[in-house]
Short mmCIF file of all heavy atoms in Angstrom, two decimals:
data_model
loop_
_atom_site.label_atom_id
_atom_site.label_comp_id
_atom_site.label_asym_id
_atom_site.label_seq_id
_atom_site.Cartn_x
_atom_site.Cartn_y
_atom_site.Cartn_z
N MET A 299 -10.54 196.32 194.14
CA MET A 299 -10.78 197.54 193.40
C MET A 299 -10.65 198.76 194.32
O MET A 299 -10.09 199.77 193.93
CB MET A 299 -12.17 197.46 192.76
CG MET A 299 -12.47 198.61 191.88
SD MET A 299 -11.39 198.53 190.45
CE MET A 299 -11.93 199.88 189.53
N LYS A 300 -11.19 198.64 195.54
CA LYS A 300 -11.09 199.75 196.49
C LYS A 300 -9.63 200.01 196.85
O LYS A 300 -9.22 201.15 197.01
CB LYS A 300 -11.89 199.46 197.75
CG LYS A 300 -13.37 199.53 197.58
CD LYS A 300 -14.08 199.28 198.89
CE LYS A 300 -15.57 199.30 198.72
NZ LYS A 300 -16.27 199.09 199.99
N TYR A 301 -8.86 198.93 196.95
CA TYR A 301 -7.44 199.06 197.28
C TYR A 301 -6.70 199.82 196.18
O TYR A 301 -5.89 200.69 196.46
CB TYR A 301 -6.82 197.68 197.49
CG TYR A 301 -5.34 197.72 197.77
CD1 TYR A 301 -4.86 198.14 199.00
CD2 TYR A 301 -4.41 197.36 196.79
CE1 TYR A 301 -3.51 198.19 199.27
CE2 TYR A 301 -3.06 197.41 197.04
CZ TYR A 301 -2.61 197.82 198.28
OH TYR A 301 -1.26 197.88 198.53
N CYS A 302 -7.01 199.53 194.93
CA CYS A 302 -6.37 200.21 193.81
C CYS A 302 -6.73 201.70 193.79
O CYS A 302 -5.87 202.55 193.55
CB CYS A 302 -6.77 199.57 192.49
SG CYS A 302 -6.07 197.93 192.26
N ALA A 303 -7.98 202.01 194.06
CA ALA A 303 -8.41 203.41 194.08
C ALA A 303 -7.72 204.15 195.22
O ALA A 303 -7.28 205.29 195.06
CB ALA A 303 -9.93 203.49 194.23
N PHE A 304 -7.62 203.51 196.38
CA PHE A 304 -6.94 204.13 197.52
C PHE A 304 -5.46 204.35 197.21
O PHE A 304 -4.92 205.41 197.49
CB PHE A 304 -7.09 203.24 198.77
CG PHE A 304 -6.33 203.75 199.95
CD1 PHE A 304 -6.76 204.86 200.64
CD2 PHE A 304 -5.18 203.11 200.37
CE1 PHE A 304 -6.06 205.34 201.73
CE2 PHE A 304 -4.47 203.57 201.45
CZ PHE A 304 -4.91 204.69 202.14
N LEU A 305 -4.83 203.36 196.64
CA LEU A 305 -3.41 203.47 196.29
C LEU A 305 -3.18 204.58 195.27
O LEU A 305 -2.24 205.36 195.39
CB LEU A 305 -2.91 202.13 195.76
CG LEU A 305 -1.42 202.01 195.49
CD1 LEU A 305 -0.63 202.27 196.78
CD2 LEU A 305 -1.08 200.65 194.95
N LEU A 306 -4.04 204.68 194.29
CA LEU A 306 -3.95 205.73 193.29
C LEU A 306 -4.11 207.12 193.93
O LEU A 306 -3.39 208.06 193.60
CB LEU A 306 -4.99 205.51 192.20
CG LEU A 306 -4.92 206.46 191.01
CD1 LEU A 306 -3.58 206.31 190.30
CD2 LEU A 306 -6.06 206.17 190.06
N LEU A 307 -5.03 207.23 194.88
CA LEU A 307 -5.25 208.50 195.58
C LEU A 307 -4.02 208.89 196.41
O LEU A 307 -3.60 210.05 196.40
CB LEU A 307 -6.47 208.38 196.49
CG LEU A 307 -6.83 209.61 197.30
CD1 LEU A 307 -7.21 210.75 196.37
CD2 LEU A 307 -7.95 209.30 198.26
N VAL A 308 -3.41 207.92 197.08
CA VAL A 308 -2.21 208.18 197.87
C VAL A 308 -1.06 208.63 196.97
O VAL A 308 -0.37 209.60 197.27
CB VAL A 308 -1.81 206.93 198.70
CG1 VAL A 308 -0.44 207.10 199.31
CG2 VAL A 308 -2.86 206.67 199.76
N ILE A 309 -0.86 207.94 195.88
CA ILE A 309 0.23 208.29 194.96
C ILE A 309 0.00 209.68 194.37
O ILE A 309 0.93 210.49 194.29
CB ILE A 309 0.36 207.23 193.85
CG1 ILE A 309 0.88 205.93 194.44
CG2 ILE A 309 1.27 207.71 192.73
CD1 ILE A 309 0.86 204.75 193.49
N ALA A 310 -1.22 210.00 194.02
CA ALA A 310 -1.52 211.32 193.46
C ALA A 310 -1.27 212.42 194.48
O ALA A 310 -0.74 213.48 194.15
CB ALA A 310 -2.97 211.36 192.98
N SER A 311 -1.62 212.18 195.73
CA SER A 311 -1.39 213.20 196.75
C SER A 311 0.10 213.37 197.03
O SER A 311 0.56 214.49 197.28
CB SER A 311 -2.14 212.87 198.04
OG SER A 311 -1.63 211.70 198.63
N LEU A 312 0.87 212.30 196.97
CA LEU A 312 2.31 212.40 197.16
C LEU A 312 2.97 213.17 196.02
O LEU A 312 3.87 213.98 196.24
CB LEU A 312 2.94 211.02 197.29
CG LEU A 312 2.64 210.27 198.58
CD1 LEU A 312 3.21 208.85 198.51
CD2 LEU A 312 3.18 211.01 199.78
N ILE A 313 2.52 212.94 194.81
CA ILE A 313 3.07 213.66 193.66
C ILE A 313 2.71 215.13 193.75
O ILE A 313 3.54 216.00 193.47
CB ILE A 313 2.56 213.03 192.34
CG1 ILE A 313 3.18 211.66 192.15
CG2 ILE A 313 2.86 213.93 191.15
CD1 ILE A 313 2.60 210.86 191.01
N ALA A 314 1.51 215.44 194.18
CA ALA A 314 1.09 216.83 194.30
C ALA A 314 1.90 217.57 195.36
O ALA A 314 2.24 218.73 195.21
CB ALA A 314 -0.40 216.89 194.63
N ARG A 315 2.23 216.88 196.45
CA ARG A 315 2.99 217.52 197.52
C ARG A 315 4.47 217.59 197.21
O ARG A 315 5.20 218.34 197.85
CB ARG A 315 2.78 216.75 198.83
CG ARG A 315 1.36 216.86 199.34
CD ARG A 315 1.22 216.25 200.68
NE ARG A 315 1.94 217.08 201.63
CZ ARG A 315 2.15 216.75 202.88
NH1 ARG A 315 1.72 215.60 203.33
NH2 ARG A 315 2.80 217.54 203.69
N ALA A 316 4.95 216.85 196.25
CA ALA A 316 6.37 216.83 195.94
C ALA A 316 6.85 218.18 195.42
O ALA A 316 8.01 218.54 195.59
CB ALA A 316 6.67 215.74 194.91
N GLY A 317 5.97 218.95 194.81
CA GLY A 317 6.35 220.24 194.26
C GLY A 317 6.37 221.36 195.30
O GLY A 317 6.86 222.44 195.03
N GLU A 318 5.83 221.12 196.49
CA GLU A 318 5.79 222.17 197.51
C GLU A 318 7.19 222.45 198.03
O GLU A 318 8.03 221.56 198.14
CB GLU A 318 4.90 221.74 198.67
CG GLU A 318 3.43 221.61 198.29
CD GLU A 318 2.59 221.14 199.46
OE1 GLU A 318 3.10 221.09 200.58
OE2 GLU A 318 1.41 220.84 199.24
N ASP A 319 7.44 223.71 198.35
CA ASP A 319 8.73 224.10 198.87
C ASP A 319 8.70 224.04 200.40
O ASP A 319 7.86 224.67 201.03
CB ASP A 319 9.07 225.52 198.41
CG ASP A 319 10.49 225.91 198.74
OD1 ASP A 319 11.33 225.00 198.83
OD2 ASP A 319 10.75 227.11 198.89
N HIS A 320 9.57 223.26 200.99
CA HIS A 320 9.64 223.11 202.44
C HIS A 320 10.89 223.79 202.96
O HIS A 320 11.96 223.66 202.37
CB HIS A 320 9.67 221.62 202.83
CG HIS A 320 8.45 220.88 202.38
ND1 HIS A 320 7.25 221.01 203.01
CD2 HIS A 320 8.25 220.01 201.37
CE1 HIS A 320 6.35 220.25 202.41
NE2 HIS A 320 6.94 219.63 201.41
N PRO A 321 10.77 224.52 204.07
CA PRO A 321 11.96 225.15 204.63
C PRO A 321 12.92 224.09 205.17
O PRO A 321 12.48 223.09 205.75
CB PRO A 321 11.42 226.03 205.76
CG PRO A 321 10.10 225.43 206.11
CD PRO A 321 9.58 224.80 204.85
N THR A 322 14.19 224.28 204.96
CA THR A 322 15.19 223.35 205.45
C THR A 322 16.26 224.10 206.22
O THR A 322 16.46 225.29 206.03
CB THR A 322 15.86 222.59 204.29
OG1 THR A 322 16.44 223.53 203.41
CG2 THR A 322 14.85 221.74 203.53
N LEU A 323 16.95 223.38 207.08
CA LEU A 323 18.07 223.95 207.83
C LEU A 323 19.36 223.64 207.10
O LEU A 323 19.49 222.60 206.46
CB LEU A 323 18.13 223.33 209.23
CG LEU A 323 16.97 223.61 210.16
CD1 LEU A 323 17.10 222.78 211.43
CD2 LEU A 323 16.92 225.08 210.50
N PRO A 324 20.34 224.52 207.22
CA PRO A 324 21.64 224.21 206.64
C PRO A 324 22.28 223.01 207.35
O PRO A 324 22.04 222.79 208.54
CB PRO A 324 22.46 225.48 206.89
CG PRO A 324 21.48 226.55 207.19
CD PRO A 324 20.29 225.88 207.76
N ILE A 325 23.08 222.26 206.64
CA ILE A 325 23.75 221.10 207.21
C ILE A 325 24.66 221.55 208.34
O ILE A 325 25.41 222.51 208.20
CB ILE A 325 24.55 220.35 206.13
CG1 ILE A 325 23.58 219.78 205.10
CG2 ILE A 325 25.41 219.25 206.74
CD1 ILE A 325 24.25 219.14 203.92
N GLY A 326 24.58 220.86 209.48
CA GLY A 326 25.42 221.17 210.62
C GLY A 326 24.80 222.15 211.60
O GLY A 326 25.34 222.39 212.67
N SER A 327 23.64 222.73 211.27
CA SER A 327 23.00 223.67 212.19
C SER A 327 22.22 222.91 213.27
O SER A 327 21.86 221.75 213.09
CB SER A 327 22.08 224.62 211.43
OG SER A 327 21.03 223.90 210.84
N ALA A 328 21.97 223.58 214.38
CA ALA A 328 21.25 222.96 215.49
C ALA A 328 19.77 222.84 215.14
O ALA A 328 19.20 223.69 214.45
CB ALA A 328 21.42 223.80 216.74
N ALA A 329 19.17 221.78 215.62
CA ALA A 329 17.73 221.58 215.40
C ALA A 329 16.95 222.54 216.29
O ALA A 329 17.34 222.82 217.42
CB ALA A 329 17.35 220.14 215.73
N PRO A 330 15.83 223.05 215.80
CA PRO A 330 15.01 223.93 216.63
C PRO A 330 14.32 223.12 217.73
O PRO A 330 14.07 221.93 217.57
CB PRO A 330 13.99 224.51 215.65
CG PRO A 330 13.92 223.51 214.55
CD PRO A 330 15.29 222.90 214.47
N GLY A 331 14.03 223.77 218.84
CA GLY A 331 13.34 223.08 219.92
C GLY A 331 11.91 222.76 219.55
O GLY A 331 11.25 223.50 218.82
N PHE A 332 11.42 221.63 220.01
CA PHE A 332 10.03 221.26 219.76
C PHE A 332 9.57 220.31 220.85
O PHE A 332 10.37 219.72 221.57
CB PHE A 332 9.85 220.62 218.38
CG PHE A 332 10.68 219.39 218.15
CD1 PHE A 332 10.20 218.14 218.50
CD2 PHE A 332 11.94 219.49 217.59
CE1 PHE A 332 10.97 217.00 218.28
CE2 PHE A 332 12.71 218.36 217.35
CZ PHE A 332 12.22 217.12 217.71
N THR A 333 8.27 220.17 220.97
CA THR A 333 7.64 219.29 221.95
C THR A 333 6.68 218.38 221.20
O THR A 333 5.93 218.83 220.35
CB THR A 333 6.87 220.11 222.99
OG1 THR A 333 7.76 221.02 223.63
CG2 THR A 333 6.24 219.21 224.04
N LEU A 334 6.71 217.08 221.55
CA LEU A 334 5.83 216.11 220.92
C LEU A 334 5.09 215.30 221.98
O LEU A 334 5.68 214.94 223.00
CB LEU A 334 6.63 215.14 220.04
CG LEU A 334 7.31 215.75 218.82
CD1 LEU A 334 8.19 214.70 218.15
CD2 LEU A 334 6.29 216.27 217.85
N PRO A 335 3.82 214.99 221.75
CA PRO A 335 3.09 214.13 222.69
C PRO A 335 3.48 212.67 222.48
O PRO A 335 3.74 212.25 221.36
CB PRO A 335 1.62 214.37 222.33
CG PRO A 335 1.66 214.78 220.90
CD PRO A 335 2.96 215.50 220.70
N ALA A 336 3.51 211.92 223.56
CA ALA A 336 3.85 210.50 223.48
C ALA A 336 2.61 209.65 223.74
O ALA A 336 1.58 210.15 224.19
CB ALA A 336 4.94 210.17 224.49
N THR A 337 2.73 208.37 223.49
CA THR A 337 1.60 207.47 223.70
C THR A 337 1.31 207.24 225.17
O THR A 337 0.23 206.78 225.52
CB THR A 337 1.86 206.11 223.02
OG1 THR A 337 3.08 205.57 223.51
CG2 THR A 337 1.95 206.28 221.51
N ASP A 338 2.28 207.55 226.06
CA ASP A 338 2.05 207.38 227.49
C ASP A 338 1.39 208.60 228.13
O ASP A 338 1.23 208.68 229.33
CB ASP A 338 3.35 207.06 228.22
CG ASP A 338 4.42 208.13 228.05
OD1 ASP A 338 4.14 209.16 227.42
OD2 ASP A 338 5.53 207.93 228.57
N GLY A 339 0.98 209.59 227.31
CA GLY A 339 0.30 210.77 227.81
C GLY A 339 1.23 211.91 228.18
O GLY A 339 0.78 213.01 228.45
N LYS A 340 2.52 211.67 228.21
CA LYS A 340 3.49 212.71 228.54
C LYS A 340 3.87 213.48 227.28
O LYS A 340 3.61 213.04 226.17
CB LYS A 340 4.75 212.10 229.15
CG LYS A 340 4.53 211.36 230.43
CD LYS A 340 5.85 210.76 230.92
CE LYS A 340 5.66 209.92 232.15
NZ LYS A 340 6.92 209.28 232.57
N GLU A 341 4.50 214.64 227.50
CA GLU A 341 5.05 215.40 226.39
C GLU A 341 6.56 215.44 226.54
O GLU A 341 7.07 215.64 227.65
CB GLU A 341 4.48 216.82 226.36
CG GLU A 341 3.04 216.86 225.92
CD GLU A 341 2.57 218.27 225.66
OE1 GLU A 341 3.26 219.22 226.06
OE2 GLU A 341 1.50 218.41 225.06
N TYR A 342 7.26 215.23 225.46
CA TYR A 342 8.71 215.21 225.47
C TYR A 342 9.24 216.33 224.59
O TYR A 342 8.72 216.59 223.52
CB TYR A 342 9.24 213.86 224.97
CG TYR A 342 8.91 212.72 225.90
CD1 TYR A 342 7.79 211.94 225.70
CD2 TYR A 342 9.72 212.45 226.99
CE1 TYR A 342 7.47 210.90 226.56
CE2 TYR A 342 9.41 211.41 227.85
CZ TYR A 342 8.29 210.64 227.63
OH TYR A 342 7.98 209.62 228.49
N THR A 343 10.29 217.00 225.09
CA THR A 343 10.94 218.05 224.32
C THR A 343 12.29 217.56 223.83
O THR A 343 12.89 216.65 224.42
CB THR A 343 11.13 219.31 225.16
OG1 THR A 343 11.97 219.00 226.26
CG2 THR A 343 9.81 219.85 225.66
N LEU A 344 12.77 218.17 222.79
CA LEU A 344 14.09 217.81 222.27
C LEU A 344 15.17 218.08 223.31
O LEU A 344 16.08 217.29 223.49
CB LEU A 344 14.37 218.59 220.98
CG LEU A 344 15.71 218.34 220.32
CD1 LEU A 344 15.82 216.88 219.89
CD2 LEU A 344 15.90 219.26 219.15
N SER A 345 15.04 219.19 224.03
CA SER A 345 16.06 219.54 225.02
C SER A 345 16.10 218.56 226.19
O SER A 345 17.12 218.45 226.87
CB SER A 345 15.81 220.96 225.55
OG SER A 345 14.54 221.04 226.16
N SER A 346 15.02 217.80 226.44
CA SER A 346 15.04 216.84 227.55
C SER A 346 15.97 215.67 227.26
O SER A 346 16.38 214.96 228.17
CB SER A 346 13.63 216.33 227.84
OG SER A 346 13.14 215.54 226.78
N PHE A 347 16.32 215.44 226.01
CA PHE A 347 17.22 214.34 225.64
C PHE A 347 18.67 214.80 225.48
O PHE A 347 19.54 214.00 225.19
CB PHE A 347 16.74 213.69 224.34
CG PHE A 347 15.44 212.97 224.49
CD1 PHE A 347 14.25 213.59 224.13
CD2 PHE A 347 15.39 211.69 225.01
CE1 PHE A 347 13.04 212.94 224.28
CE2 PHE A 347 14.20 211.03 225.16
CZ PHE A 347 13.01 211.66 224.80
N LYS A 348 18.92 216.08 225.66
CA LYS A 348 20.26 216.62 225.43
C LYS A 348 21.29 216.06 226.41
O LYS A 348 22.41 215.78 226.03
CB LYS A 348 20.22 218.14 225.53
CG LYS A 348 21.48 218.80 225.09
CD LYS A 348 21.33 220.30 225.04
CE LYS A 348 22.58 220.94 224.47
NZ LYS A 348 22.44 222.37 224.33
N GLU A 349 20.93 215.88 227.66
CA GLU A 349 21.87 215.43 228.68
C GLU A 349 22.00 213.91 228.77
O GLU A 349 22.88 213.41 229.42
CB GLU A 349 21.46 215.99 230.05
CG GLU A 349 21.45 217.51 230.09
CD GLU A 349 22.81 218.11 229.78
OE1 GLU A 349 23.83 217.54 230.22
OE2 GLU A 349 22.85 219.14 229.08
N ARG A 350 21.12 213.18 228.12
CA ARG A 350 21.17 211.71 228.18
C ARG A 350 22.31 211.20 227.29
O ARG A 350 22.55 211.72 226.22
CB ARG A 350 19.87 211.10 227.69
CG ARG A 350 18.72 211.35 228.62
CD ARG A 350 17.52 210.62 228.09
NE ARG A 350 16.40 210.81 229.00
CZ ARG A 350 15.22 210.28 228.81
NH1 ARG A 350 14.99 209.54 227.75
NH2 ARG A 350 14.25 210.49 229.66
N PRO A 351 22.99 210.14 227.73
CA PRO A 351 24.02 209.56 226.85
C PRO A 351 23.37 208.88 225.64
O PRO A 351 22.31 208.29 225.76
CB PRO A 351 24.72 208.54 227.73
CG PRO A 351 23.75 208.23 228.82
CD PRO A 351 22.91 209.47 229.01
N ARG A 352 23.99 209.01 224.51
CA ARG A 352 23.49 208.36 223.31
C ARG A 352 23.83 206.87 223.38
O ARG A 352 24.86 206.49 223.92
CB ARG A 352 24.10 208.99 222.08
CG ARG A 352 23.61 210.43 221.89
CD ARG A 352 24.32 211.03 220.74
NE ARG A 352 25.73 211.18 221.15
CZ ARG A 352 26.51 212.15 220.77
NH1 ARG A 352 26.08 213.05 219.95
NH2 ARG A 352 27.75 212.22 221.19
N PRO A 353 23.00 206.03 222.81
CA PRO A 353 23.24 204.58 222.88
C PRO A 353 24.59 204.16 222.29
O PRO A 353 25.20 203.22 222.75
CB PRO A 353 22.11 203.98 222.07
CG PRO A 353 21.07 205.01 221.99
CD PRO A 353 21.75 206.33 222.13
N GLY A 354 25.09 204.86 221.30
CA GLY A 354 26.34 204.47 220.65
C GLY A 354 27.58 204.99 221.36
O GLY A 354 28.69 204.73 220.93
N ASP A 355 27.40 205.77 222.44
CA ASP A 355 28.55 206.35 223.13
C ASP A 355 29.27 205.38 224.04
O ASP A 355 30.40 205.63 224.44
CB ASP A 355 28.11 207.54 223.98
CG ASP A 355 27.83 208.77 223.12
OD1 ASP A 355 28.12 208.70 221.93
OD2 ASP A 355 27.32 209.75 223.66
N ARG A 356 28.66 204.31 224.43
CA ARG A 356 29.24 203.40 225.42
C ARG A 356 29.57 202.05 224.78
O ARG A 356 28.68 201.32 224.35
CB ARG A 356 28.26 203.17 226.57
CG ARG A 356 27.74 204.42 227.22
CD ARG A 356 28.81 205.04 228.10
NE ARG A 356 28.27 206.14 228.86
CZ ARG A 356 28.49 207.42 228.57
NH1 ARG A 356 29.21 207.73 227.53
NH2 ARG A 356 27.98 208.37 229.30
N PHE A 357 30.84 201.75 224.72
CA PHE A 357 31.28 200.46 224.22
C PHE A 357 32.22 199.85 225.25
O PHE A 357 33.15 200.48 225.71
CB PHE A 357 32.03 200.60 222.89
CG PHE A 357 31.14 201.02 221.76
CD1 PHE A 357 31.12 202.33 221.33
CD2 PHE A 357 30.32 200.10 221.13
CE1 PHE A 357 30.31 202.72 220.29
CE2 PHE A 357 29.51 200.48 220.10
CZ PHE A 357 29.49 201.79 219.67
N TYR A 358 31.96 198.61 225.62
CA TYR A 358 32.79 197.90 226.59
C TYR A 358 33.29 196.61 225.95
O TYR A 358 32.54 195.89 225.31
CB TYR A 358 31.99 197.57 227.85
CG TYR A 358 31.47 198.80 228.56
CD1 TYR A 358 30.15 199.20 228.39
CD2 TYR A 358 32.30 199.55 229.37
CE1 TYR A 358 29.66 200.32 229.03
CE2 TYR A 358 31.81 200.67 230.02
CZ TYR A 358 30.50 201.06 229.84
OH TYR A 358 30.04 202.17 230.48
N LEU A 359 34.56 196.35 226.11
CA LEU A 359 35.12 195.12 225.57
C LEU A 359 35.50 194.18 226.67
O LEU A 359 35.84 194.51 227.73
CB LEU A 359 36.35 195.42 224.71
CG LEU A 359 36.05 196.25 223.47
CD1 LEU A 359 37.36 196.57 222.75
CD2 LEU A 359 35.13 195.50 222.54
#
């Protein structure tokens, strides 16, 4: 019974938030810079990953 009440509460909150207007970026525009904390205690920025090769860039046969 508690599970059903919790599930109903989650669904109601999702429906309520669905009507909110969220700002979006145009397709193809650059992502804004941001910093996020990690589980290892460090903080990572989007720009710190800019120079790293992407995993899909390297293919060897």
